[in-house]
Short mmCIF file of all heavy atoms in Angstrom, two decimals:
data_model
loop_
_atom_site.label_atom_id
_atom_site.label_comp_id
_atom_site.label_asym_id
_atom_site.label_seq_id
_atom_site.Cartn_x
_atom_site.Cartn_y
_atom_site.Cartn_z
N PHE B 486 -10.95 4.59 18.62
CA PHE B 486 -11.86 3.42 18.74
C PHE B 486 -11.40 2.30 17.79
O PHE B 486 -11.38 1.06 18.28
CB PHE B 486 -13.33 3.94 18.36
CG PHE B 486 -14.29 2.77 18.52
CD1 PHE B 486 -14.68 2.49 19.94
CD2 PHE B 486 -14.87 2.22 17.50
CE1 PHE B 486 -15.60 1.53 20.06
CE2 PHE B 486 -15.87 1.15 17.75
CZ PHE B 486 -16.18 0.88 18.98
N TYR B 487 -11.07 2.58 16.65
CA TYR B 487 -10.84 1.53 15.64
C TYR B 487 -9.51 0.74 16.05
O TYR B 487 -9.59 -0.46 15.96
CB TYR B 487 -10.62 2.19 14.25
CG TYR B 487 -10.50 1.17 13.08
CD1 TYR B 487 -11.67 0.53 12.70
CD2 TYR B 487 -9.27 0.89 12.47
CE1 TYR B 487 -11.63 -0.50 11.70
CE2 TYR B 487 -9.21 -0.04 11.54
CZ TYR B 487 -10.35 -0.74 11.14
OH TYR B 487 -10.29 -1.70 10.14
N ASP B 488 -8.50 1.44 16.63
CA ASP B 488 -7.35 0.80 16.98
C ASP B 488 -7.53 -0.02 18.13
O ASP B 488 -7.08 -1.24 18.29
CB ASP B 488 -6.27 1.82 17.34
CG ASP B 488 -5.66 2.47 16.15
OD1 ASP B 488 -5.89 1.93 15.05
OD2 ASP B 488 -5.09 3.57 16.18
N ARG B 489 -8.35 0.45 19.10
CA ARG B 489 -8.69 -0.29 20.40
C ARG B 489 -9.53 -1.59 19.94
O ARG B 489 -9.42 -2.59 20.56
CB ARG B 489 -9.41 0.54 21.42
CG ARG B 489 -8.65 1.84 21.79
CD ARG B 489 -7.92 1.71 23.16
NE ARG B 489 -8.79 1.13 24.10
CZ ARG B 489 -9.60 1.80 25.02
NH1 ARG B 489 -9.66 3.09 24.93
NH2 ARG B 489 -10.14 1.11 25.95
N LEU B 490 -10.44 -1.26 19.16
CA LEU B 490 -11.27 -2.45 18.59
C LEU B 490 -10.45 -3.55 18.08
O LEU B 490 -10.63 -4.64 18.40
CB LEU B 490 -12.18 -1.85 17.52
CG LEU B 490 -13.07 -2.81 16.68
CD1 LEU B 490 -14.38 -2.96 17.42
CD2 LEU B 490 -13.27 -2.33 15.32
N LYS B 491 -9.47 -3.26 17.37
CA LYS B 491 -8.59 -4.16 16.69
C LYS B 491 -7.72 -4.81 17.79
O LYS B 491 -7.52 -6.01 17.74
CB LYS B 491 -7.66 -3.53 15.60
CG LYS B 491 -8.40 -3.15 14.38
CD LYS B 491 -8.75 -4.44 13.54
CE LYS B 491 -9.52 -4.11 12.43
NZ LYS B 491 -10.26 -5.43 11.90
N SER B 492 -7.35 -4.11 18.75
CA SER B 492 -6.40 -4.67 19.76
C SER B 492 -7.18 -5.53 20.69
O SER B 492 -6.71 -6.58 21.10
CB SER B 492 -5.50 -3.56 20.45
OG SER B 492 -6.21 -3.17 21.60
N VAL B 493 -8.31 -5.15 21.17
CA VAL B 493 -9.13 -6.08 22.13
C VAL B 493 -9.62 -7.34 21.35
O VAL B 493 -9.87 -8.33 21.96
CB VAL B 493 -10.26 -5.40 22.77
CG1 VAL B 493 -9.81 -4.22 23.66
CG2 VAL B 493 -11.36 -5.01 21.88
N SER B 494 -9.73 -7.25 20.01
CA SER B 494 -10.24 -8.42 19.32
C SER B 494 -9.19 -9.21 18.58
O SER B 494 -9.41 -10.01 17.62
CB SER B 494 -11.42 -8.02 18.39
OG SER B 494 -10.84 -7.24 17.33
N ARG B 495 -7.89 -8.88 18.86
CA ARG B 495 -6.75 -9.43 18.13
C ARG B 495 -6.86 -9.22 16.62
O ARG B 495 -6.52 -10.14 15.77
CB ARG B 495 -6.57 -10.91 18.53
CG ARG B 495 -6.24 -11.13 19.88
CD ARG B 495 -6.33 -12.65 20.25
NE ARG B 495 -6.40 -12.78 21.71
CZ ARG B 495 -5.16 -12.95 22.51
NH1 ARG B 495 -4.02 -13.07 21.77
NH2 ARG B 495 -5.26 -13.10 23.71
N GLY B 496 -7.45 -8.18 16.21
CA GLY B 496 -7.64 -7.91 14.81
C GLY B 496 -8.74 -8.50 14.04
O GLY B 496 -9.07 -8.16 13.05
N TYR B 497 -9.59 -9.27 14.82
CA TYR B 497 -10.64 -9.89 14.17
C TYR B 497 -11.93 -9.24 14.07
O TYR B 497 -12.74 -9.44 13.10
CB TYR B 497 -10.94 -11.35 14.92
CG TYR B 497 -10.01 -12.35 14.62
CD1 TYR B 497 -9.20 -12.83 15.64
CD2 TYR B 497 -9.92 -12.90 13.44
CE1 TYR B 497 -8.25 -13.84 15.44
CE2 TYR B 497 -8.98 -13.79 13.19
CZ TYR B 497 -8.14 -14.26 14.19
OH TYR B 497 -7.24 -15.33 13.88
N ALA B 498 -12.17 -8.12 14.91
CA ALA B 498 -13.52 -7.50 14.76
C ALA B 498 -13.51 -6.44 13.69
O ALA B 498 -12.42 -5.86 13.49
CB ALA B 498 -13.80 -6.86 16.10
N GLY B 499 -14.52 -6.30 13.02
CA GLY B 499 -14.66 -5.19 12.05
C GLY B 499 -15.68 -4.21 12.43
O GLY B 499 -16.57 -4.46 13.28
N LEU B 500 -15.69 -3.11 11.72
CA LEU B 500 -16.59 -1.99 12.15
C LEU B 500 -17.29 -1.36 10.93
O LEU B 500 -16.77 -1.17 9.81
CB LEU B 500 -15.76 -0.84 12.71
CG LEU B 500 -16.30 0.51 13.03
CD1 LEU B 500 -17.28 0.58 14.07
CD2 LEU B 500 -15.16 1.51 13.35
N ASP B 501 -18.60 -1.10 11.17
CA ASP B 501 -19.23 -0.19 10.00
C ASP B 501 -20.29 0.66 10.82
O ASP B 501 -20.57 0.35 11.95
CB ASP B 501 -20.07 -1.26 9.20
CG ASP B 501 -20.48 -0.57 7.94
OD1 ASP B 501 -19.88 0.55 7.60
OD2 ASP B 501 -21.31 -1.11 7.12
N TYR B 502 -20.46 1.87 10.24
CA TYR B 502 -21.47 2.81 10.90
C TYR B 502 -22.08 3.67 10.03
O TYR B 502 -21.62 3.86 8.87
CB TYR B 502 -20.69 3.46 12.03
CG TYR B 502 -19.57 4.46 11.73
CD1 TYR B 502 -19.80 5.64 11.09
CD2 TYR B 502 -18.17 3.86 11.81
CE1 TYR B 502 -18.75 6.46 10.67
CE2 TYR B 502 -17.16 4.79 11.35
CZ TYR B 502 -17.36 5.97 10.84
OH TYR B 502 -16.34 6.74 10.36
N GLU B 503 -23.25 4.12 10.51
CA GLU B 503 -23.91 5.25 9.68
C GLU B 503 -24.55 6.16 10.61
O GLU B 503 -24.84 5.92 11.80
CB GLU B 503 -25.08 4.56 8.84
CG GLU B 503 -26.05 3.66 9.69
CD GLU B 503 -27.01 3.06 8.76
OE1 GLU B 503 -26.95 3.31 7.45
OE2 GLU B 503 -27.85 2.36 9.28
N ALA B 504 -24.81 7.44 10.13
CA ALA B 504 -25.26 8.47 10.99
C ALA B 504 -26.72 8.09 11.43
O ALA B 504 -27.43 7.49 10.80
CB ALA B 504 -25.30 9.76 10.20
N SER B 505 -26.94 8.56 12.75
CA SER B 505 -28.31 8.24 13.29
C SER B 505 -28.83 9.49 14.10
O SER B 505 -29.54 9.31 15.08
CB SER B 505 -28.28 7.05 14.16
OG SER B 505 -27.57 7.29 15.23
N GLY B 506 -28.63 10.69 13.80
CA GLY B 506 -29.15 11.84 14.38
C GLY B 506 -28.39 12.45 15.50
O GLY B 506 -27.30 11.98 15.80
N TYR B 507 -28.99 13.44 16.07
CA TYR B 507 -28.26 14.30 17.16
C TYR B 507 -28.84 13.96 18.45
O TYR B 507 -30.05 13.72 18.64
CB TYR B 507 -28.27 15.65 16.85
CG TYR B 507 -27.21 16.13 15.88
CD1 TYR B 507 -27.19 15.67 14.59
CD2 TYR B 507 -26.07 16.92 16.44
CE1 TYR B 507 -26.04 16.07 13.75
CE2 TYR B 507 -24.94 17.13 15.59
CZ TYR B 507 -25.04 16.86 14.28
OH TYR B 507 -24.01 17.22 13.53
N ARG B 508 -28.10 14.08 19.50
CA ARG B 508 -28.58 13.98 20.91
C ARG B 508 -27.98 15.01 21.87
O ARG B 508 -26.76 15.33 21.64
CB ARG B 508 -28.15 12.68 21.47
CG ARG B 508 -29.07 11.50 20.92
CD ARG B 508 -28.91 10.36 21.94
NE ARG B 508 -29.08 9.04 21.32
CZ ARG B 508 -29.08 7.94 21.90
NH1 ARG B 508 -28.77 7.84 23.16
NH2 ARG B 508 -29.26 6.84 21.29
N LYS B 509 -28.77 15.39 22.85
CA LYS B 509 -28.32 16.41 23.77
C LYS B 509 -27.43 15.67 24.88
O LYS B 509 -27.86 14.63 25.29
CB LYS B 509 -29.55 17.00 24.45
CG LYS B 509 -29.31 17.93 25.52
CD LYS B 509 -30.68 18.33 26.06
CE LYS B 509 -30.48 19.04 27.42
NZ LYS B 509 -31.85 19.49 27.85
N ASN B 510 -26.33 16.23 25.15
CA ASN B 510 -25.47 15.76 26.16
C ASN B 510 -24.82 16.80 27.01
O ASN B 510 -24.69 18.09 26.60
CB ASN B 510 -24.41 14.84 25.53
CG ASN B 510 -24.80 13.43 25.42
OD1 ASN B 510 -25.56 12.90 26.27
ND2 ASN B 510 -24.42 12.76 24.28
N ASN B 511 -24.30 16.45 28.09
CA ASN B 511 -23.50 17.41 28.90
C ASN B 511 -22.14 17.65 28.48
O ASN B 511 -21.14 17.20 28.86
CB ASN B 511 -23.49 16.92 30.33
CG ASN B 511 -22.95 17.87 31.33
OD1 ASN B 511 -22.79 19.11 31.03
ND2 ASN B 511 -22.83 17.65 32.64
N LEU B 512 -22.13 18.65 27.42
CA LEU B 512 -20.81 18.84 26.77
C LEU B 512 -20.26 20.21 27.18
O LEU B 512 -20.99 21.20 27.34
CB LEU B 512 -21.09 18.81 25.26
CG LEU B 512 -21.60 17.46 24.59
CD1 LEU B 512 -22.06 17.69 23.26
CD2 LEU B 512 -20.59 16.50 24.83
N ILE B 513 -19.04 20.27 27.34
CA ILE B 513 -18.29 21.45 27.62
C ILE B 513 -17.10 21.78 26.81
O ILE B 513 -16.65 20.87 26.14
CB ILE B 513 -17.99 21.56 29.10
CG1 ILE B 513 -17.12 20.24 29.46
CG2 ILE B 513 -19.07 21.79 30.07
CD1 ILE B 513 -15.77 20.43 29.61
N LYS B 514 -16.61 22.97 26.75
CA LYS B 514 -15.43 23.31 25.94
C LYS B 514 -14.14 23.17 26.91
O LYS B 514 -14.20 23.92 27.95
CB LYS B 514 -15.53 24.65 25.32
CG LYS B 514 -14.32 25.04 24.48
CD LYS B 514 -14.62 26.24 23.71
CE LYS B 514 -13.38 26.97 23.26
NZ LYS B 514 -13.48 28.36 23.39
N LEU B 515 -13.15 22.53 26.51
CA LEU B 515 -11.93 22.51 27.25
C LEU B 515 -10.85 23.14 26.56
O LEU B 515 -10.64 22.92 25.34
CB LEU B 515 -11.45 20.99 27.52
CG LEU B 515 -10.19 20.74 28.20
CD1 LEU B 515 -10.27 21.09 29.70
CD2 LEU B 515 -9.67 19.37 27.95
N ASP B 516 -10.30 24.14 27.18
CA ASP B 516 -9.10 24.85 26.55
C ASP B 516 -7.77 24.40 27.04
O ASP B 516 -7.68 23.96 28.08
CB ASP B 516 -9.22 26.38 26.81
CG ASP B 516 -10.43 26.99 26.24
OD1 ASP B 516 -10.77 26.74 24.99
OD2 ASP B 516 -11.24 27.69 26.91
N ILE B 517 -6.82 24.50 26.13
CA ILE B 517 -5.37 24.19 26.58
C ILE B 517 -4.54 25.53 26.46
O ILE B 517 -4.62 26.08 25.47
CB ILE B 517 -4.75 23.02 25.66
CG1 ILE B 517 -5.65 21.76 25.67
CG2 ILE B 517 -3.36 22.80 26.04
CD1 ILE B 517 -5.63 21.11 27.01
N LEU B 518 -3.88 25.78 27.53
CA LEU B 518 -3.12 27.00 27.70
C LEU B 518 -1.59 26.73 27.50
O LEU B 518 -1.18 25.74 28.23
CB LEU B 518 -3.45 27.87 28.89
CG LEU B 518 -4.85 28.47 29.08
CD1 LEU B 518 -5.90 27.44 28.99
CD2 LEU B 518 -4.86 29.30 30.35
N LEU B 519 -0.86 27.56 26.83
CA LEU B 519 0.56 27.45 26.85
C LEU B 519 1.08 28.68 27.42
O LEU B 519 0.72 29.81 26.87
CB LEU B 519 1.17 27.28 25.40
CG LEU B 519 0.95 25.96 24.73
CD1 LEU B 519 1.67 25.88 23.49
CD2 LEU B 519 1.30 24.73 25.59
N ASN B 520 1.83 28.57 28.53
CA ASN B 520 2.23 29.74 29.27
C ASN B 520 1.09 30.79 29.49
O ASN B 520 1.27 31.95 29.31
CB ASN B 520 3.43 30.40 28.57
CG ASN B 520 4.74 29.68 28.90
OD1 ASN B 520 4.70 28.79 29.93
ND2 ASN B 520 5.82 30.03 28.33
N GLY B 521 0.05 30.25 29.90
CA GLY B 521 -1.03 31.21 30.20
C GLY B 521 -2.11 31.57 29.04
O GLY B 521 -3.12 32.05 29.28
N ASP B 522 -1.58 31.30 27.88
CA ASP B 522 -2.43 31.85 26.76
C ASP B 522 -3.25 30.63 26.09
O ASP B 522 -2.59 29.69 25.76
CB ASP B 522 -1.63 32.45 25.61
CG ASP B 522 -1.04 33.70 26.08
OD1 ASP B 522 -1.52 34.45 26.89
OD2 ASP B 522 0.21 33.98 25.75
N PRO B 523 -4.51 30.68 26.00
CA PRO B 523 -5.24 29.62 25.40
C PRO B 523 -4.86 29.42 23.86
O PRO B 523 -4.75 30.46 23.22
CB PRO B 523 -6.62 30.01 25.50
CG PRO B 523 -6.67 31.40 25.87
CD PRO B 523 -5.41 31.71 26.47
N VAL B 524 -4.71 28.25 23.42
CA VAL B 524 -4.32 28.01 22.03
C VAL B 524 -5.56 27.30 21.36
O VAL B 524 -5.93 26.24 21.68
CB VAL B 524 -3.20 26.96 21.95
CG1 VAL B 524 -2.75 26.74 20.51
CG2 VAL B 524 -2.05 27.47 22.74
N ASP B 525 -6.21 28.25 20.66
CA ASP B 525 -7.48 27.77 19.99
C ASP B 525 -7.42 26.43 19.37
O ASP B 525 -8.41 25.71 19.43
CB ASP B 525 -8.14 28.83 19.15
CG ASP B 525 -7.32 29.41 18.07
OD1 ASP B 525 -6.15 28.86 17.81
OD2 ASP B 525 -7.60 30.33 17.37
N ALA B 526 -6.36 26.20 18.61
CA ALA B 526 -6.22 25.08 17.82
C ALA B 526 -6.26 23.81 18.80
O ALA B 526 -6.39 22.63 18.21
CB ALA B 526 -4.94 25.01 17.04
N PHE B 527 -6.01 23.95 20.07
CA PHE B 527 -6.04 22.77 20.89
C PHE B 527 -7.39 22.55 21.60
O PHE B 527 -7.58 21.53 22.37
CB PHE B 527 -4.96 22.99 22.01
CG PHE B 527 -3.55 22.66 21.61
CD1 PHE B 527 -2.63 23.50 22.03
CD2 PHE B 527 -3.14 21.62 20.92
CE1 PHE B 527 -1.17 23.23 21.71
CE2 PHE B 527 -1.88 21.41 20.40
CZ PHE B 527 -0.98 22.22 20.82
N SER B 528 -8.25 23.48 21.55
CA SER B 528 -9.59 23.34 22.20
C SER B 528 -10.39 22.19 21.76
O SER B 528 -10.32 21.89 20.49
CB SER B 528 -10.35 24.68 22.01
OG SER B 528 -9.72 25.69 22.67
N VAL B 529 -11.15 21.54 22.61
CA VAL B 529 -11.98 20.57 22.19
C VAL B 529 -13.33 20.63 22.93
O VAL B 529 -13.39 21.25 23.95
CB VAL B 529 -11.38 19.15 22.60
CG1 VAL B 529 -10.38 18.71 21.77
CG2 VAL B 529 -11.12 19.03 24.07
N ILE B 530 -14.46 20.20 22.35
CA ILE B 530 -15.72 20.02 23.02
C ILE B 530 -15.78 18.58 23.54
O ILE B 530 -15.50 17.62 22.77
CB ILE B 530 -16.85 20.43 22.04
CG1 ILE B 530 -16.76 21.86 21.74
CG2 ILE B 530 -18.14 19.99 22.73
CD1 ILE B 530 -17.69 22.30 20.69
N ILE B 531 -16.23 18.42 24.76
CA ILE B 531 -16.04 17.14 25.45
C ILE B 531 -17.12 16.87 26.41
O ILE B 531 -17.59 17.83 26.96
CB ILE B 531 -14.60 17.03 25.88
CG1 ILE B 531 -14.27 15.51 26.35
CG2 ILE B 531 -14.29 17.93 27.10
CD1 ILE B 531 -12.84 15.36 26.69
N HIS B 532 -17.38 15.52 26.76
CA HIS B 532 -18.31 15.31 27.73
C HIS B 532 -17.80 15.69 29.13
O HIS B 532 -16.64 15.43 29.36
CB HIS B 532 -18.71 13.85 27.65
CG HIS B 532 -19.97 13.51 28.46
ND1 HIS B 532 -20.03 13.18 29.79
CD2 HIS B 532 -21.39 13.57 28.07
CE1 HIS B 532 -21.21 13.01 30.24
NE2 HIS B 532 -22.07 13.20 29.16
N ARG B 533 -18.61 16.34 29.92
CA ARG B 533 -17.94 16.94 31.11
C ARG B 533 -17.39 15.79 32.02
O ARG B 533 -16.27 15.95 32.52
CB ARG B 533 -19.20 17.51 32.03
CG ARG B 533 -18.65 18.26 33.33
CD ARG B 533 -19.65 18.89 34.04
NE ARG B 533 -20.16 20.08 33.41
CZ ARG B 533 -19.53 21.30 33.46
NH1 ARG B 533 -18.48 21.46 34.12
NH2 ARG B 533 -20.16 22.38 32.77
N GLU B 534 -17.94 14.59 32.15
CA GLU B 534 -17.39 13.46 32.92
C GLU B 534 -16.05 13.08 32.42
O GLU B 534 -15.25 12.39 33.15
CB GLU B 534 -18.37 12.39 32.88
CG GLU B 534 -19.49 12.46 33.91
CD GLU B 534 -20.65 11.55 33.72
OE1 GLU B 534 -20.31 10.40 33.11
OE2 GLU B 534 -21.72 11.83 34.05
N LYS B 535 -15.61 13.27 31.22
CA LYS B 535 -14.42 12.92 30.55
C LYS B 535 -13.33 13.95 30.65
O LYS B 535 -12.19 13.75 30.24
CB LYS B 535 -14.68 12.41 29.23
CG LYS B 535 -15.53 11.10 29.16
CD LYS B 535 -15.36 10.38 27.90
CE LYS B 535 -15.54 8.93 28.07
NZ LYS B 535 -15.10 8.08 27.01
N SER B 536 -13.83 15.16 31.12
CA SER B 536 -12.92 16.30 30.82
C SER B 536 -11.58 16.26 31.67
O SER B 536 -10.61 16.57 31.07
CB SER B 536 -13.64 17.69 31.13
OG SER B 536 -14.17 17.62 32.38
#
Side-chain angles (χ1 to χ4, degrees):
Chain B
F486 187 72
Y487 191 73
D488 291 342
R489 302 256 321 266
L490 173 87
K491 286 288 173 195
S492 94
V493 300
S494 68
R495 295 171 195 266
Y497 284 113
L500 163 75
D501 199 13
Y502 59 81
E503 56 182 359
S505 70
Y507 273 73
R508 286 201 205 179
K509 175 179 166 181
N510 270 321
N511 188 1
L512 301 168
I513 48 108
K514 181 172 160 223
L515 175 75
D516 292 314
I517 302 294
L518 287 62
L519 290 185
N520 277 352
D522 296 324
V524 179
D525 55 5
F527 284 138
S528 295
V529 289
I530 291 173
I531 191 170
H532 197 272
R533 185 178 291 278
E534 279 167 22
K535 295 200 153 194
S536 59

